Amino acid sequence: MVVWVTGASSGIGEELAYQLSKLGVSLVLSARRVDELERVKRRCLENGNLKGKDVLVLPLDLMDRSSHEGATKAVLQEFGRIDILINNGGRSQRSLCVDTSMDVYKELMELNFLGTVSLTKCVLPHMIERKQGKIVTVNSLMGIISAPLGSGYSASKHALQGFFNGLRTELDTYPGITVSNICPGPVQSDIVKNSLTEEVTKTVGSNGDQSQKMATSRCVRLMLISIANDLKEVWIADQPFLSMPYLWQYMPTWAWWITGKLGKKRIENFKSGLDADASYFKIWKKKPD
Ligand SMILES: NC(=O)c1ccc[n+]([C@@H]2O[C@H](COP(=O)([O-])OP(=O)(O)OC[C@H]3O[C@@H](n4cnc5c(N)ncnc54)[C@H](OP(=O)(O)O)[C@@H]3O)[C@@H](O)[C@H]2O)c1
């Protein structure tokens, strides 16, 4: 089995590589930072289930859509097929709309939405030809709900949700091709550190306290179970954070009110230079994994 993971140089994608390597699948690891991908490859080989030729490091910039066709050809040349595409690469945002430049919104849509759509469109004809394959996208609970300081991130993830739900209906005549939208809540990774802020050149720069977030290994374990079972949509978070998408879905008026109240504190924290999420996590103590 051949699995292509984007965003494999860090966080969720890196952990996906480790857990998949233990299952003995052939891996394609993509992201921009080649040295980090090589580091991940070395660790994948450590457990002895894979040989060097089973792991292809394939540098890829999701923003450079003109390179996606060539990258897909390179994978097919190396392994002859792509069984699973895991669209995981992406970035988040920490800034108020009123202060955020349009370039930031453009970047988030170009990367999270159009980059993912572009790569999927390159791989899709191959899966259609074989009448089989899994297209997995690491969306976010922010693709279901919204929160202050992430309007552009949330928009890009809502767009992905609409795109892949639409694509799935088009693939109804190919029961062997499945489309899974996986929506994690807060998970330990570099996502906050790499988040865009008011300007496209400025990132948050640090992750803050991550101890209350779900362990990356647990999130990825649940993701792999979801992928193996072809689940169409998955929400992964600890309670009571997981209650938020249910509120947004089934009681939106309540959800908007509660998110506004909690969000006020989040904005206050952000403006005074504190970790924006501290207030959420203080209220919602993390349960053991
Ligand atoms: N952690 C969370 O709380 C959380 C929650 C919900 C959803 N998610 C989603 O999970 C996915 C993975 O994020 P993470 O949490 O693991 O964050 P992360 O540690 O920052 O990893 C992000 C990955 O995306 C890659 N990437 C960024 N820009 C790219 C580009 N232009 N082209 C190709 N790859 C690019 C990065 O690699 P390079 O810098 O080397 O290119 C890195 O490997 C994202 O889609 C995120 O939205 C995360």
Side-chain angles (χ1 to χ4, degrees):
M1 181 170 288
V2 180
V3 185
W4 188 358
V5 183
T6 70
S9 62
S10 164
I12 292 173
E14 176 177 351
E15 180 64 23
L16 271 166
Y18 299 147
Q19 292 198 22
L20 283 164
S21 70
K22 289 185 186 145
L23 300 175
V25 304
S26 296
L27 280 170
V28 183
L29 306 179
S30 285
R32 293 166 303 173
R33 289 169 299 162
V34 186
D35 48 341
E36 289 301 306
L37 291 174
E38 291 291 354
R39 176 185 59 80
V40 174
K41 175 175 176 172
R42 280 194 298 278
R43 252 194 83 185
C44 284
L45 298 180
E46 270 170 20
N47 62 44
N49 284 336
L50 297 178
K51 296 190 171 56
K53 65 174 177 42
D54 298 324
V55 184
L56 173 66
V57 164
L58 185 66
L60 179 91
D61 186 346
L62 283 166
M63 304 273 287
D64 179 11
R65 299 204 291 274
S66 65
S67 70
H68 295 178
E69 194 70 60
T72 307
K73 280 194 182 129
V75 178
L76 293 175
Q77 208 164 4
E78 184 75 15
F79 293 119
R81 62 182 208 273
I82 299 164
D83 295 290
I84 307 180
L85 170 65
I86 306 186
N87 289 312
N88 168 73
R91 287 177 81 179
S92 188
Q93 175 200 4
R94 278 292 164 85
S95 55
L96 290 168
C97 169
V98 70
D99 300 323
T100 303
S101 103
M102 276 310 290
D103 288 344
V104 169
Y105 287 103
K106 200 168 154 238
E107 180 105 347
L108 289 164
M109 291 307 283
E110 288 277 350
L111 170 56
N112 294 348
F113 179 60
L114 291 176
T116 301
V117 169
S118 165
L119 195 63
T120 301
K121 271 177 63 59
C122 291
V123 172
L124 189 59
H126 161 73
M127 288 187 174
I128 287 178
E129 199 184 315
R130 291 181 69 220
K131 297 191 175 60
Q132 72 180 69
K134 295 179 196 281
I135 301 169
V136 179
T137 301
V138 183
N139 199 302
S140 167
L141 285 187
M142 288 303 146
I144 310 291
I145 72 174
S146 281
L149 304 172
S151 53
Y153 178 65
S154 185
S156 68
K157 294 293 187 177
H158 274 72
L160 282 176
Q161 191 74 353
F163 172 81
F164 283 105
N165 281 338
L167 176 62
R168 189 186 302 108
T169 62
E170 289 182 16
L171 294 172
D172 202 46
T173 44
Y174 298 97
I177 306 177
T178 58
V179 176
S180 300
N181 294 333
I182 299 188
C183 305
V187 176
Q188 291 168 1
S189 79
D190 282 345
I191 191 92
V192 174
K193 181 176 141 196
N194 294 326
S195 291
L196 294 170
T197 58
E198 292 82 5
E199 297 298 333
V200 82
T201 49
K202 204 175 130 217
T203 56
V204 170
S206 85
N207 284 315
D209 178 13
Q210 300 218 63
S211 59
Q212 306 289 346
K213 296 183 178 180
M214 182 182 276
T216 330
S217 57
R218 173 162 167 76
C219 174
V220 167
R221 195 161 60 243
L222 295 172
M223 284 173 68
L224 292 182
I225 293 168
S226 311
I227 295 168
N229 288 285
D230 289 329
L231 300 186
K232 293 182 176 65
E233 184 168 319
V234 192
W235 299 349
I236 299 175
D238 290 320
Q239 285 291 11
F241 197 89
L242 188 57
S243 60
M244 287 308 279
Y246 285 92
L247 270 183
W248 275 74
Q249 184 112 333
Y250 300 111
M251 287 182 269
T253 309
W254 270 98
W256 296 330
W257 184 81
I258 290 171
T259 310
K261 295 285 169 212
L262 290 170
K264 215 171 131 194
K265 186 73 194 151
R266 194 171 197 239
I267 294 170
E268 276 170 23
N269 280 348
F270 173 74
K271 282 187 168 169
S272 53
L274 296 170
D275 182 355
D277 288 327
S279 56
Y280 285 135
F281 294 136
K282 219 176 274 173
I283 298 165
W284 295 334
K285 290 283 176 216
K286 180 176 167 279
K287 288 190 172 179
D289 293 335

